[in-house]
Amino acid sequence: MNIALNITQTFQDWLVGFMPEGAASITAMVIVAVIYLMIFAVAGLYLVLLERRVAAWFQLRLGPNRVGFQGLLQTMADALKLVSKELTGTDRADKFLYNLAPYFVIITSLMALGIFPFTQGFQAFDINIGIFFLIAISSIGVIGILLAGWSSNNKFALIGAMRSGVQTISYELSIGLSLLTMVLLTGSLQLSEIVETQKHGWLIVQGHVPAIIAFMIYMIAGTAETNRAPFDMVEAESELGAGFHTEYSGMKFAYFFLAEFINMFIIACIATTVFFGAWLSPFGITESLPWLGVFWFLLKALILVFLMMWFRWTFPRLRIDQLLSLEWKYLLPINLINIMLMAFLVWQKLTIQF
Amino acid sequence: MSYLSNIYNGIKTLLTGMSVTGKYFLNARKGAITQQYPDNRATLKMFDRFRGEVIMPHDENNEHACTGCQKCELACPNGTIEIIWDRGIDEVTGKKKKKIDKFVYHLSMCTMCGLCIDACPTDAIKWGQNFENSVYDRTALTRVLNKPGSKVRAGIED
């Protein structure tokens, strides 16, 4: 079961057999992009379903369980309904930006998925500045939100979008610094090499105390980054209607909705890759079966997704000033001290390695 | 030092909250409060204070407790209850006595305020549990609560 290191490369090698090299590489990219698009659109729908069932269980309800076995087709039906709905807009909205905004959000979140190592060699695009790319791409999504709020010609949408800008720019700092703390251990930004380092123990074990602090900071900042409760100032229903996507309907709304859930999955995937050894099995119990790596990766990612859902259905929403003081007065100073602590550990070789 | 204790208290209270919801999550299968209504018609038990419709309980001898005093009719704010009464001869004393002929209840006009039930001195009418009252013709919602051939229970007026 040896598949070459890189999915795109595999496709390209196969296509080179019957077309010129330039065309082959473009075709390979398109094929991989379409496959990823289809897989993760469906996966996003199932994340929505998971969220609804988990939320129901937290509140002692049952959740959607009518459409299909145990409600498995519920979100499919919802998506079909949204596709068939009319796309409305507001008067004097900036039509071009208004229509462009959802694509910014959904495309950036799908682009980030391309570089995750789902198992040994199962990676669409092994870029050598992986972590940097992820941080960069995840902050482009906020442009879509700002555009949506600005172009909707709606005060609530604009306030929501501005809050999102404030929040994402602040918490981007914590995400970057907490990931940087872990990069001190790996010495590389390339995701496949980060996984390679973790063959001597997952990074959260290798870096022990500062790694755990970094993980906690990462999860807090990641929840804020995806605009989920308790940090959902952006679409605070009780104050702003639905925030930046108040004026969107039909499939454009669905793009925002789907992007939120794919972003949550991405945050969980980054945490899995950087802290919990990506596709590596615990104690190397299935080392000889690299295909099981997909299972381990998804298991870890889904546990972290569940953790974020747990946050959402437990904690009350923060006020905007509390949100900012949490970031600038608490997370950022702790993060800076933590990064120095980690540097000291790495310098003195106090890390735990098997 | 309040900075560090803030952090400690913050984390502690958040974990307390998560443990509470976590317990709910684990027990959700056993104690779900959702009623899957059309499926569980056979076992559905409405709660005690549920106001479905006004009923008049009859015992095994086809006797009810309504003396025909009309207090419920007077208490009703929108004329839901109409008591058609008559005078009959009491068998024991031989005197003339008021008794009900028909206790007419217009469910379509009832707002479920419960004033009739509060006003009743003999607890002849009660709240019923049935709430499936949809019909195609609204005349079906006008009901006679006392069963045919029923009479007032002896001793209820003493």
Side-chain angles (χ1 to χ4, degrees):
Chain A
M1 290 280 257
N2 271 332
I3 305 292
L5 255 175
N6 188 312
I7 306 172
T8 319
Q9 195 64 44
T10 319
F11 268 108
Q12 197 175 337
D13 291 345
W14 172 64
L15 285 168
V16 157
F18 48 87
M19 58 172 76
E21 198 164 331
S25 71
I26 290 173
T27 319
M29 282 179 199
V30 169
I31 291 175
V32 170
V34 168
I35 293 173
Y36 263 62
L37 195 67
M38 277 158 62
I39 291 176
F40 285 105
V42 174
L45 287 181
Y46 277 98
L47 277 175
V48 177
L49 181 69
L50 184 72
E51 162 101 50
R52 288 175 64 180
R53 289 312 298 264
V54 167
W57 288 333
F58 272 123
Q59 298 171 344
L60 293 183
R61 291 184 289 114
L62 293 173
N65 63 352
R66 294 280 153 165
V67 190
F69 174 71
Q70 287 293 306
L72 280 179
L73 297 176
Q74 177 70 52
T75 42
M76 293 282 184
D78 290 348
L80 269 180
K81 185 207 79 173
L82 283 172
V83 169
S84 67
K85 285 188 90 168
E86 185 190 358
L87 295 170
T88 58
T90 37
D91 276 351
R92 289 194 289 285
D94 190 330
K95 282 282 179 297
F96 175 66
L97 295 183
Y98 180 78
N99 292 326
L100 184 69
Y103 298 99
F104 258 105
V105 179
I106 189 84
I107 287 173
T108 49
S109 58
L110 284 169
M111 267 168 87
L113 283 168
I115 66 165
F116 287 114
F118 288 108
T119 182
Q120 173 102 57
F122 192 77
Q123 192 174 4
F125 191 43
D126 192 11
I127 192 170
N128 63 353
I129 49 163
I131 293 283
F132 183 67
F133 176 79
L134 282 174
I135 297 172
I137 209 87
S138 66
S139 47
I140 291 180
V142 76
I143 292 180
I145 293 176
L146 282 172
L147 283 184
W150 173 256
S151 62
S152 289
N153 192 17
N154 178 323
K155 293 184 189 73
F156 291 137
L158 184 60
I159 293 171
M162 287 302 155
R163 282 183 182 180
S164 172
V166 167
Q167 182 176 326
T168 312
I169 289 167
S170 307
Y171 279 83
E172 199 61 54
L173 221 61
S174 280
I175 291 216
L177 283 173
S178 59
L179 290 179
L180 206 60
T181 318
M182 305 317 286
V183 170
L184 281 178
L185 272 176
T186 61
S188 168
L189 290 167
Q190 193 168 0
L191 290 183
S192 58
E193 264 181 54
I194 289 177
V195 179
E196 210 58 37
T197 345
Q198 302 194 56
K199 287 191 169 156
H200 311 289
W202 297 355
L203 285 191
I204 200 153
V205 180
Q206 281 194 35
H208 47 94
V209 178
I212 290 169
I213 296 174
F215 174 66
M216 286 166 75
I217 291 171
Y218 176 81
M219 282 315 281
I220 295 170
T223 314
E225 182 83 0
T226 50
N227 296 329
R228 287 172 60 79
F231 303 102
D232 62 344
M233 301 305 304
V234 181
E235 39 198 284
E237 295 90 352
S238 47
E239 308 160 20
L240 297 179
F244 62 92
H245 57 55
T246 308
E247 297 296 344
Y248 283 87
S249 67
M251 210 50 213
K252 284 188 229 163
F253 163 74
Y255 281 148
F256 282 120
F257 200 63
L258 207 57
E260 184 191 323
F261 280 86
I262 294 178
N263 276 333
M264 181 171 75
F265 185 66
I266 288 171
I267 293 292
C269 281
I270 299 175
T272 307
T273 315
V274 176
F275 295 96
F276 295 100
W279 47 268
L280 295 171
S281 52
F283 311 109
I285 45 176
T286 58
E287 214 166 335
S288 50
L289 298 163
W291 275 99
L292 267 180
V294 179
F295 166 73
W296 289 115
F297 189 94
L298 289 180
L299 181 72
K300 291 170 191 172
L302 284 177
I303 288 173
L304 292 173
V305 165
F306 173 74
L307 189 66
M308 289 169 82
M309 290 178 179
W310 196 349
F311 289 161
R312 172 162 183 176
W313 298 104
T314 304
F315 302 145
R317 181 183 294 140
L318 272 74
R319 218 166 49 211
I320 190 84
D321 63 317
Q322 293 169 333
L323 181 94
L324 291 176
S325 76
L326 174 68
E327 162 65 19
W328 294 100
K329 287 188 190 161
Y330 291 91
L331 293 188
L332 189 64
I334 295 172
N335 222 330
L336 290 171
I337 293 168
N338 194 33
I339 209 167
M340 289 201 290
L341 183 64
M342 181 62 97
F344 180 76
L345 287 193
V346 174
W347 175 40
Q348 292 292 324
K349 298 204 167 43
L350 289 172
T351 55
I352 302 171
Q353 287 198 338
F354 299 111
Chain B
M1 279 323 275
S2 74
Y3 183 79
L4 290 180
S5 67
N6 273 351
I7 295 174
Y8 172 74
N9 282 330
I11 293 175
K12 201 181 107 185
T13 47
L14 290 182
L15 288 180
T16 312
M18 281 178 75
S19 76
V20 170
T21 47
K23 269 177 212 145
Y24 274 110
F25 180 77
L26 293 176
N27 292 320
R29 290 243 150 258
K30 278 177 270 175
I33 53 174
T34 312
Q35 299 281 339
Q36 305 209 58
Y37 163 57
D39 292 349
N40 69 349
R41 263 176 142 157
T43 56
L44 184 69
K45 176 88 178 71
M46 296 307 289
F47 37 95
D48 291 340
R49 294 195 287 175
F50 181 70
R51 298 176 169 191
E53 59 179 1
V54 174
I55 54 166
M56 183 183 283
H58 287 63
D59 61 11
E60 61 278 4
N61 302 326
N62 202 16
E63 284 175 342
H64 55 75
C66 181
T67 60
C69 68
Q70 291 180 298
K71 278 186 179 166
C72 50
E73 190 175 353
L74 288 171
C76 184
N78 40 4
T80 304
I81 295 172
E82 237 180 291
I83 295 178
I84 299 169
W85 55 276
D86 201 1
R87 282 189 202 281
I89 306 293
D90 190 74
E91 288 133 23
V92 185
T93 56
K95 287 178 185 167
K96 272 192 172 179
K97 199 182 118 186
K98 194 177 181 182
K99 62 172 189 184
I100 58 168
D101 185 23
K102 277 179 181 169
F103 188 106
V104 183
Y105 171 57
H106 300 279
L107 179 58
S108 54
M109 286 196 277
C110 184
T111 59
M112 312 293 164
C113 66
L115 291 176
C116 52
I117 290 163
D118 292 345
C120 185
T122 54
D123 286 337
I125 45 177
K126 285 201 164 59
W127 282 120
Q129 302 274 300
N130 176 38
F131 56 91
E132 293 170 331
N133 289 319
S134 320
V135 286
Y136 285 102
D137 183 5
R138 67 180 175 187
T139 54
L141 291 174
T142 299
R143 293 170 186 180
V144 178
L145 292 190
N146 56 329
K147 289 181 188 162
S150 64
K151 61 179 199 291
V152 66
R153 199 176 299 137
I156 207 82
E157 283 159 294
D158 301 333

